[in-house]
Amino acid sequence: MKRYHLTTFGCQMNEHDSERMKGMLESLGYSEAPERSEADVILFNTCSIRETADRRFISHLGEAKRLKREQPERVIGVGGCWAQSLKDEVFARFPFVDVAFGPGQVNRLAEFLTSDSLTAQGYFEFEGFTGHLPARRERTFQGWLQISVGCNCACSYCIVPSTRGREVSRPPQELVAEVQAMAADGVREVTLLGQNVNSYGRDLPRGDGERPGFASLLGMLDEIEGIERIRYTSPHPKDMREDVIRAHSELQSVCEHIHLPLQSGSSRILKAMRRTYDRERYLSRVAMIREHVPDVALTTDIIVGFPGESEEDFQQTLDVVEQVSYDSAFTFVFSPRRGTEAAEIGEGIVAHPVKVERMERLVEAVQRHAKERAQRFVGRTVEVLVEGTSRTDPDRLRGRTRHNKVVNFAGLAAPGELTDVEILSATSQTLRGEERLLARTAV
Ligand code: 5AD
Ligand code: SF4
């Protein structure tokens, strides 16, 4: 039996695509090799969001090159956003690569592997959703649902519109059927994926009635028996409407967590980023969220050092962080990406030490708030979906709350079970607790 090895970089959409890639390979009779050196087909699902993602991948590719030299009949395949963004150069720069394909062309990998082709092949036109391919889920009780691909935004720093193309939504009936099948398979938590989930449906035909929007999709999925939790990522603040916010308080399965990427707290920088909202609009969305879902966990993405960001602009970002008090935030130093508008801006590039110093101040504020916010869970008993054993302590279990907080706890529940955990302490990153049953038997 032939064996494959797949390494995944990047976002949850790539994790989803990799599960589909694995499902497809296994339906072709391949099995997974534990080590890259043992594989007949070495695959990478790549990301290009920041320079660091490129660099990490290139070092892995070096090892694949060496393995190919040792055993030339090995196949090296590169899929995903990095491959798509370098489609014209991949084979010239990396001649040992046999097959390269963009995120909309995963199905072509099967075609390549089953053909007798001896020449390198590249596939880069969007052809279909990876969601149509069979999946091999990492965890049997958690599933991804690709609701759309592509992005119609033009954020000036972002490479994604050029790697994933225009937005295309999948019809709601198809998504409902897929989640019903997942539920029948034992999935309890579904995460809806799209580059901009809350513009879902705008490209679909109107049909007889209303075009289905993101909120109505949430409503349809909430009704499916067996699905206890629905999450999604990522929404765009410009499209965050009241109906979606209300879904978090009205629909039982939609979790109390919203990831709302801020990027910058300065309206001037937001304009240069082409985010199409300003600071006030963002803060008014947050106020609406807090009004409908008071206990919500809010998380975000922030970029520091965008070209032209002044100390005053940065202060505005810090000020939003202080006002909103996020449960957690991903912070990034601006990274110029090939072909993007922001990469072309020559002036006002923020000096490296200034970026580093701003990042330190930002991380301090983010962590302080995350720690403070997490304290509200101490003393509460919360529902946890058990994911496995704690990474730091093999005697404890690890799971996630509806607020998407990781909990390490003493208990007996099995992976995939929902159980009640009493929270005893909290840091900025994780909660610590005891399963309720244990606590009861102890008294
Ligand atoms: N430089 C730095 N961070 C970026 N992101 C996207 N593009 C860039 C870039 N060129 C960040 C944004 C986005 C997250 C996924 O990655 O914050 O929300
Ligand atoms: Fe990376 Fe963005 Fe592509 Fe995801 S969509 S793999 S984050 S470049």
Side-chain angles (χ1 to χ4, degrees):
M1 195 192 260
K2 290 217 168 189
R3 303 213 285 173
Y4 72 89
H5 186 273
L6 170 61
T7 313
T8 308
F9 301 88
C11 63
Q12 290 163 318
M13 189 65 98
N14 265 20
E15 286 180 40
H16 162 270
D17 289 353
S18 286
E19 288 190 355
R20 302 291 170 156
M21 242 183 248
K22 289 182 179 182
M24 185 182 74
L25 288 162
E26 290 178 17
S27 71
L28 290 177
Y30 284 81
S31 66
E32 188 167 14
E35 301 289 335
R36 196 174 281 156
S37 57
E38 293 168 29
D40 304 289
V41 178
I42 297 175
L43 295 167
F44 298 94
N45 196 9
T46 61
C47 169
S48 227
I49 194 85
R50 287 170 294 276
E51 230 170 323
T52 42
D54 283 9
R55 266 192 259 124
R56 269 185 64 214
F57 162 60
I58 298 288
S59 69
H60 282 259
L61 195 57
E63 195 204 331
K65 179 180 177 180
R66 186 175 55 74
L67 291 169
K68 171 102 178 168
R69 210 181 302 128
E70 283 170 14
Q71 220 177 306
E73 62 281 9
R74 275 195 169 115
V75 172
I76 311 284
V78 181
C81 289
W82 176 90
Q84 183 75 34
S85 75
L86 280 178
K87 62 179 175 183
D88 300 326
E89 303 163 42
V90 174
F91 297 114
R93 281 179 56 185
F94 306 95
F96 53 92
V97 170
D98 299 289
V99 56
F101 48 98
Q105 291 264 289
V106 172
N107 54 325
R108 290 296 190 116
L109 173 64
E111 183 188 301
F112 179 83
L113 292 174
T114 49
S115 75
D116 302 324
S117 171
L118 290 175
T119 52
Q121 292 285 333
Y123 306 99
F124 299 108
E125 296 308 311
F126 172 74
E127 266 190 350
F129 299 99
T130 36
H132 290 155
L133 299 168
R136 206 206 69 191
R137 273 190 281 284
E138 224 35 62
R139 294 201 185 99
T140 52
F141 50 90
Q142 287 171 326
W144 305 115
L145 181 72
Q146 184 182 46
I147 66 165
S148 60
V149 294
C151 184
N152 291 354
C153 300
C155 302
S156 60
Y157 51 82
C158 187
I159 199 167
V160 175
S162 75
T163 62
R164 297 217 177 227
R166 301 285 296 171
E167 184 171 318
V168 190
S169 306
R170 292 173 68 194
Q173 304 79 352
E174 194 178 301
L175 297 174
V176 168
E178 190 169 320
V179 175
Q180 281 167 340
M182 280 188 206
D185 247 13
V187 169
R188 310 188 80 176
E189 179 179 277
V190 178
T191 303
L192 281 46
L193 298 176
Q195 251 66 49
N196 175 7
V197 286
N198 46 7
S199 67
Y200 169 80
R202 289 191 196 156
D203 57 306
L204 289 172
R206 204 175 276 275
D208 296 335
E210 279 272 299
R211 200 182 273 135
F214 185 56
S216 60
L217 177 66
L218 289 174
M220 288 182 245
L221 300 178
D222 177 64
E223 283 174 17
I224 297 172
E225 199 68 35
I227 299 297
E228 314 274 353
R229 291 179 171 191
I230 297 177
R231 304 184 183 281
Y232 59 81
T233 193
S234 282
H236 192 302
K238 82 176 161 69
D239 296 316
M240 195 66 185
R241 298 199 336 221
E242 188 173 341
D243 54 359
V244 174
I245 296 170
R246 293 179 84 102
H248 285 265
S249 61
E250 290 167 5
L251 303 177
Q252 214 276 318
S253 57
V254 178
C255 289
E256 294 77 20
H257 168 221
I258 297 180
H259 183 73
L260 198 65
L262 169 69
Q263 313 302 3
S264 169
S266 150
S267 294
R268 199 178 72 83
I269 294 296
L270 285 168
K271 193 162 187 192
M273 289 177 163
R274 298 196 187 280
R275 290 290 285 172
T276 70
Y277 56 85
D278 60 10
R279 169 196 178 82
E280 281 65 41
R281 165 127 180 129
Y282 183 91
L283 289 172
S284 79
R285 292 296 101 176
V286 170
M288 191 190 276
I289 291 169
R290 288 253 153 87
E291 181 193 326
H292 289 289
V293 202
D295 187 40
V296 74
L298 267 178
T299 59
T300 199
D301 291 342
I302 299 169
I303 299 177
V304 295
F306 186 84
E309 182 190 70
S310 65
E311 174 59 26
E312 200 188 321
D313 293 315
F314 176 66
Q315 284 293 339
Q316 301 258 312
T317 298
L318 278 184
D319 186 61
V320 173
V321 170
E322 296 294 343
Q323 275 194 54
V324 174
S325 191
Y326 293 104
D327 289 81
S328 105
F330 295 109
T331 51
F332 307 105
V333 170
F334 169 75
S335 169
R337 302 287 56 214
R338 49 191 167 272
T340 61
E341 190 188 337
E344 313 279 302
I345 309 175
E347 296 159 33
I349 303 290
V350 182
H352 186 69
V354 176
K355 284 184 189 162
V356 171
E357 188 265 340
R358 284 183 192 164
M359 186 55 119
E360 281 169 6
R361 280 191 281 162
L362 180 63
V363 167
E364 183 281 319
V366 161
Q367 285 183 348
R368 176 163 40 81
H369 282 279
K371 188 170 173 196
E372 205 176 287
R373 291 279 297 161
Q375 303 313 310
R376 77 187 189 282
F377 297 115
V378 176
R380 270 163 71 173
T381 295
V382 295
E383 181 203 88
V384 171
L385 178 60
V386 185
E387 293 184 346
T389 309
S390 157
R391 287 182 188 155
T392 47
D393 180 352
D395 293 334
R396 290 181 160 258
L397 297 172
R398 177 184 196 273
R400 245 168 235 276
T401 69
R402 288 175 60 94
H403 292 82
N404 208 32
K405 283 296 223 187
V406 171
V407 190
N408 291 309
F409 64 101
L412 297 170
E417 266 183 52
L418 285 168
T419 188
D420 287 336
V421 174
E422 186 179 345
I423 304 303
L424 302 174
S425 64
T427 66
S428 61
Q429 301 286 329
T430 52
L431 306 177
R432 217 177 143 82
E434 259 177 23
E435 195 176 352
R436 204 52 204 262
L437 290 172
L438 277 189
R440 253 190 240 132
T441 47
V443 275

